[in-house]
């Protein structure tokens, strides 16, 4: 009797222990997810808001930081064996990813937050992550002091008082292709004829072609530049973090288009052994909570449309970023399926090299 | 018992060869295949990439800019570094060791930090421009961005500490007594430099110039950060072609041209120095 009671008690303890262990077990116990993304503030935001949730599920996240171009180069160098499970991809790279056939098909039921995205921003291979609005960021005080008219088009940057005092994205940078597309379309060119855009860039008398958007803040602070072609997020951060009195102009492209938009995507790699965790990560990234925090902090435009309204409550965001869906719809979006990137870069190099 | 100590050298030799020579061979081999983009290369051995490089004025101009900026940086390093090295080498107080230690420590600083230091100093609101504007020497700020002058300054900044150390070791080998003897016989300071120090140090100076030149030819950071996306040197072009265009064959071709150019310039310099020695223009 005593013995059976003892056994029963032990059984209860074992059952309790096992059930508590099962309850404590996370969805991603033992999973190490490798994420290819930018470093700095961009990564820090993800660490703060997504990684902690992933770790609560028992998993671990390691970042492979670098620009999308650098991360794509890593995939090519590794002959398709990507050193990450999930990666950020620029719109201009989508064609190359498909050509190399390195993407894992997505199970959208694992990414339920896609319900808040426009239909054009997700498909069976990719899910949109963010958008940027490429603008002319200018120093209000300096323009007023020197009597320089506020620009409304890219051509307005060709001004004697702006000579050697403006910045433009290098073709190698994240904003390079979009920046070149913006000036090209504004000057009457298109994806197959960028010469008008290159001619305008040459006319601009640019001090520096930036490689990293963060250079914008440093150059405004140092007084080297008073205007920059950059995405609105960098302008917003220049005001918020560097305290420079800058604001944005969404340049008029033609009678129908005002402003230039650029798109970012997430993709899961074909060789990933953690595809489920990777899709969970994407779902968190496009959640309303994360997208709102990202938008306010970095000035990027969320893909999750449910956060447009609360975003407008932030006065700086409201000042610098276009949130009206109709106006967003009238921004230039480049059709990268028509762009031969090596041709663009070759023409750029030859036109811009001193 | 006779110990074959040289056997101990074999493992590091194999590791060194694998890491340096073999990896370079694999990359340079790609230059002889057609570039199909996205890191892919053709199957047949071709020399098309080299033909393109050597017949395209754009690439030849980049080669010229690379050689020119490297040569100017090496020369500037010599001009600025020689007096400093001479002073330290001839100094009798303990300050010489302190100064030398300072120079050694400065070479430990990463190039990115050095370049950003230059950017701060030469920014429109920086010390240099504000001083020049205040005393009326400049009517507008000078920028180190996007011009060859800035790249030369950056390269020189990168190599100056190293150059001073090399020159110091050269000058130390010239006996001070020779200078004293010349002065006793009536030579002025300029004549001492011209007839004694310069000829005696020339082989070492040539070696220093070549080493600094070689460093500058392969330097990426200074040219990339200060070139402002406008001054293209061969290392910058390699990075752009490999990273952005993912054209490995063409990137390898430019790397091969860079390597061959450096070897040819070095051999030519050594040949010229030997000719000078033969003509008794240089004392060995």
């Amino acid at each position: 009797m005593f013995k059976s009671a003892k056994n029963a008690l032990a059984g209860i303890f074992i059952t309790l222990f096992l059930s508590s262990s099962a309850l404590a077990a996370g969805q991603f116990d033992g999973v190490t997810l490798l994420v290819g993304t930018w470093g700095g503030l961009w990564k820090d935001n993800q660490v703060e808001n997504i990684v902690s949730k992933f770790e609560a599920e028992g998993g671990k996240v390691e970042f492979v930081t670098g620009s999308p171009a650098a991360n794509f180069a890593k995939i090519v160098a590794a002959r398709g064996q990507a050193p990450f499970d999930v990666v950020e991809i620029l719109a201009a790279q989508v064609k190359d990813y498909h050509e190399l056939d390195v993407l894992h098909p997505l199970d959208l039921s694992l990414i339920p937050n896609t319900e808040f995205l426009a239909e054009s921003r997700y498909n069976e291979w990719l899910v949109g992550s963010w958008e940027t609005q490429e603008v002319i960021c200018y120093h209000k005080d300096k323009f007023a002091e020197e009597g320089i008219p506020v620009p409304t088009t890219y051509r307005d940057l060709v001004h004697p008082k702006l000579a050697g005092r403006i910045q433009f994205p290098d073709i190698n940078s994240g904003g390079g292709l979009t920046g070149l597309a913006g000036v090209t379309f504004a000057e009457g060119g298109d994806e197959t004829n960028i010469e008008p855009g290159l001619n305008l860039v040459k006319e601009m008398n640019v001090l520096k072609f930036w490689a990293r958007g963060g250079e914008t803040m440093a150059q405004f602070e140092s007084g080297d530049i008073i205007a920059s072609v950059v995405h609105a997020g960098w302008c917003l951060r220049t005001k918020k973090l560097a305290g420079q009195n800058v604001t944005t102009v969404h340049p008029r492209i033609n009678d129908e288009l005002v402003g230039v938009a650029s798109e970012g995507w997430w993709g899961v790699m074909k060789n990933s052994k953690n595809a489920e965790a990777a899709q969970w990560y994407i779902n968190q990234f496009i959640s309303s909570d994360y997208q709102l925090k990202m938008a306010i902090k970095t000035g990027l435009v969320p893909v999750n449309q449910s956060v447009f309204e609360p975003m407008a409550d932030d006065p700086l965001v409201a000042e610098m970023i276009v949130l009206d869906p109709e106006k967003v719809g009238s921004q230039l979006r480049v059709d990268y399926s028509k762009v031969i990137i090596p041709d663009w870069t070759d023409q750029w190099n030859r036109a811009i090299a001193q | 018992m006779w110990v074959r100590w040289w056997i101990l050298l074999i493992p590091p030799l194999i590791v060194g060869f694998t890491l340096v020579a073999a990896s370079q061979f694999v990359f340079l081999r790609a230059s002889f295949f057609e570039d199909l983009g996205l890191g892919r290369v053709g199957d047949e051995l071709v020399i098309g990439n080299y033909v393109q490089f050597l017949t395209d004025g754009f690439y030849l101009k980049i080669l010229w800019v690379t050689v020119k900026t490297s040569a100017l940086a090496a020369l500037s390093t010599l001009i600025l570094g020689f007096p400093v090295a001479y002073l330290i080498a001839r100094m009798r107080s303990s300050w010489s060791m302190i100064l030398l230690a300072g120079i050694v420590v400065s070479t430990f600083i990463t190039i990115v930090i050095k370049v950003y230091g230059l950017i701060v100093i030469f920014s429109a609101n920086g010390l240099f421009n504000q001083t020049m504007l205040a005393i009326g020497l400049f009517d507008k700020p000078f920028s180190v961005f996007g011009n060859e002058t800035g790249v030369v300054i950056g390269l020189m900044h990168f190599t100056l500490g190293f150059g001073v150390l090399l020159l110091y070791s050269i000058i130390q080998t010239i006996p001070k007594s020779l200078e004293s003897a010349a002065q006793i016989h009536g030579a002025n300071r300029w004549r001492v430099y011209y007839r004694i120090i310069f000829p005696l140090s020339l082989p070492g100076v040539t070696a220093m110039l070549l080493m600094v030149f070689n460093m500058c030819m392969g330097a990426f950071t200074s040219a990339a950060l200060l070139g402002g996306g406008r001054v293209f040197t061969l290392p910058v072009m390699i990075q752009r072609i490999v990273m952005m265009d993912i054209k490995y064959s063409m990137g390898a071709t430019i790397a091969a041209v860079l390597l061959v150019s450096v070897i040819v310039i070095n051999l030519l310099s050594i040949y010229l120095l030997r000719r000078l020695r033969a003509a008794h223009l240089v004392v060995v």
Side-chain angles (χ1 to χ4, degrees):
Chain A
M1 167 95 185
F2 179 73
K3 198 177 172 185
S4 63
K6 202 172 143 187
N7 284 346
L9 202 63
I12 290 166
F13 272 121
I14 289 168
T15 311
L16 279 173
F17 174 76
L18 289 175
S19 59
S20 64
S21 300
L23 283 173
Q27 192 184 350
F28 300 116
D29 271 342
V31 173
T32 299
L33 186 70
L34 301 172
V35 178
T37 187
W38 280 279
L41 179 68
W42 191 249
K43 187 194 89 176
D44 295 344
N45 283 342
Q46 292 176 53
V47 170
E48 197 180 312
N49 297 290
I50 304 176
V51 173
S52 51
K53 287 181 187 168
F54 193 75
E55 285 172 348
E57 292 291 337
K60 203 174 108 186
V61 172
E62 285 178 10
F63 288 94
V64 180
T65 55
S67 68
N71 280 338
F72 184 68
K74 289 168 197 164
I75 298 172
V76 174
R79 303 281 175 230
Q81 295 303 303
F84 29 70
D85 296 296
V86 57
V87 68
E88 294 220 48
I89 299 168
L90 296 179
Q93 297 176 306
V94 170
K95 192 170 67 171
D96 291 341
Y97 270 86
H98 282 307
E99 201 177 326
L100 277 190
D101 189 25
V102 289
L103 291 173
H104 185 288
L106 300 174
D107 176 357
L108 292 174
S109 69
L110 296 174
I111 316 174
N113 283 328
T114 46
E115 72 167 297
F116 301 111
L117 273 58
E119 276 185 20
S120 61
R121 293 313 317 271
Y122 63 91
N123 55 54
E124 64 169 316
W125 299 104
L126 300 162
V127 171
S129 49
W130 47 259
E131 293 194 3
T132 58
Q133 294 178 354
E134 310 295 321
V135 298
I136 297 169
C137 178
Y138 73 96
H139 200 292
K140 286 198 276 189
D141 299 341
K142 301 269 177 172
F143 269 60
E145 271 170 33
E146 300 187 31
I148 305 168
V150 172
T152 57
T153 66
Y154 287 117
R155 182 153 282 284
D156 292 340
L157 293 176
V158 183
H159 188 285
K161 286 184 179 171
L162 291 175
R165 301 170 80 189
I166 52 176
Q167 236 187 192
F168 195 88
D170 187 279
I171 192 100
N172 255 351
S173 71
L177 294 167
T178 323
L180 177 56
V183 289
T184 295
F185 276 81
E187 290 292 297
D190 58 26
E191 289 94 343
T192 56
N193 174 25
I194 59 168
E195 207 178 324
L198 290 171
N199 289 337
L200 179 58
V201 175
K202 280 194 278 185
E203 275 182 67
M204 276 181 194
N205 198 349
V206 172
L207 170 75
K208 186 184 173 194
F209 294 96
W210 59 261
R212 305 271 175 276
E215 292 169 37
T216 305
M217 282 198 291
Q219 299 301 320
F220 270 111
E221 264 188 308
S222 69
D224 284 338
I225 59 164
I226 58 172
S228 178
V229 173
V230 72
H231 78 66
W234 284 114
C235 202
L236 185 121
R237 279 176 258 182
T238 301
K239 183 149 190 171
K240 263 188 184 175
L241 305 176
Q244 299 293 306
N245 192 17
V246 292
T247 193
T248 60
V249 164
H250 294 262
R252 175 168 292 281
I253 305 298
N254 55 35
D255 292 342
E256 292 161 7
L257 302 171
V258 176
V260 183
S262 177
E263 297 169 348
W265 299 85
W266 277 111
V268 177
M269 303 314 300
K270 201 175 191 175
N271 67 315
S272 170
K273 291 185 173 61
N274 301 312
E276 194 186 329
Q279 290 170 94
W280 180 94
Y281 196 90
I282 295 173
N283 195 51
Q284 291 297 316
F285 193 95
I286 61 168
S287 67
S288 307
D289 179 48
Y290 184 76
Q291 290 268 302
L292 181 61
K293 283 178 183 161
M294 173 194 81
I296 301 291
K297 211 163 184 177
T298 66
L300 265 76
V301 183
V303 285
N304 186 322
Q305 296 177 329
S306 71
V307 301
F308 275 19
E309 217 177 291
M311 264 180 81
D313 293 340
D314 185 290
L316 268 185
V317 169
E319 177 193 329
M320 295 196 189
I321 295 169
V322 172
L323 293 171
D324 177 353
E326 199 180 319
K327 287 183 180 171
V328 171
S330 71
Q331 291 177 331
L332 169 70
R333 278 165 205 267
V334 184
D335 181 357
Y336 284 104
S337 67
K338 294 180 188 169
V339 176
I340 301 167
I341 295 174
D343 276 0
W344 276 35
T345 53
D346 187 57
Q347 287 187 61
W348 170 278
N349 290 342
R350 287 167 193 276
I352 302 305
Q354 203 177 50
Chain B
M1 184 187 155
W2 185 65
V3 182
R4 293 185 178 90
W5 289 105
W6 59 267
I7 290 173
L8 293 174
L9 297 175
I10 293 175
L13 188 72
I14 292 170
V15 173
F17 181 80
T18 311
L19 290 178
V20 180
S23 64
Q24 290 300 302
F25 173 76
V26 169
F27 190 62
L28 293 178
R29 185 176 169 271
S31 68
F32 290 102
F33 293 91
E34 188 190 354
D35 202 318
L36 303 175
L38 294 181
R40 294 165 302 185
V41 294
D43 298 325
E44 289 177 20
L45 280 170
V46 291
I47 55 162
N49 296 322
Y50 288 95
V51 172
Q52 189 188 343
F53 187 99
L54 296 171
T55 55
D56 191 332
F58 173 67
Y59 289 116
L60 293 174
K61 190 181 160 195
I62 292 174
L63 174 61
W64 165 240
V65 168
T66 312
V67 173
K68 187 172 73 173
T69 50
S70 301
L72 286 171
L75 209 60
S76 310
T77 301
L78 174 66
I79 292 167
L80 285 184
F82 198 94
V84 177
Y86 181 82
L87 198 75
I88 297 173
R90 292 295 185 241
M91 214 176 248
R92 284 181 182 171
S93 72
S94 57
W95 274 101
S96 64
M97 279 302 114
I98 294 169
L99 290 172
L100 210 57
I103 290 165
V104 171
V105 169
S106 79
T107 60
F108 297 159
I109 299 169
T110 175
I111 181 64
V112 177
I113 301 298
K114 282 186 175 180
V115 171
Y116 274 106
L118 279 181
I119 291 171
V120 171
I121 291 168
F122 285 101
S123 67
N125 294 338
L127 183 71
F128 177 79
N129 278 312
Q130 287 304 309
T131 309
M132 291 296 144
L133 291 168
I135 60 177
L137 273 178
F138 288 178
D139 58 353
K140 63 175 185 176
F142 161 78
S143 178
V144 283
F145 286 123
N147 55 62
E148 287 176 14
T149 310
V151 173
V152 170
I153 292 172
L155 290 173
M156 187 198 66
H157 194 221
F158 164 52
T159 55
L160 191 58
F162 181 69
V164 169
L165 289 177
L166 281 175
L167 290 167
Y168 168 82
S169 63
I170 296 160
I171 294 164
Q172 270 213 322
T173 62
I174 303 169
K176 176 96 172 58
S177 55
L178 290 177
E179 293 176 43
S180 306
Q183 283 181 314
I184 288 166
H185 286 87
N188 60 21
R189 201 66 210 154
W190 167 245
R191 204 166 167 80
V192 170
Y193 273 116
Y194 179 65
R195 295 300 298 269
I196 304 212
I197 299 167
F198 177 69
L200 287 176
S201 62
L202 195 57
V205 165
T206 311
M208 170 263 163
L209 279 172
L210 284 177
M211 286 176 96
V212 168
F213 174 81
N214 295 345
M215 284 169 76
C216 293
M217 284 288 282
F220 167 75
T221 315
S222 304
L225 293 178
L226 294 170
R230 189 183 278 138
V231 180
F232 291 172
T233 58
L234 290 180
V236 171
M237 203 59 208
I238 293 168
Q239 189 266 348
R240 293 177 86 94
I241 284 186
V242 171
M243 297 299 287
M244 183 71 184
D245 297 347
I246 326 269
K247 287 163 83 174
Y248 288 174
S249 296
M250 198 59 203
T253 305
I254 301 174
V257 171
L258 175 62
L259 184 68
V260 171
S261 309
V262 168
I263 292 171
V264 167
I265 291 169
N266 278 260
L267 290 177
L268 202 66
S269 305
I270 293 167
Y271 170 76
L272 283 173
L273 190 66
R274 282 191 176 165
R275 290 289 301 269
L276 286 171
R277 277 179 189 170
H280 301 293
L281 291 170
V282 179
V283 182
V284 182

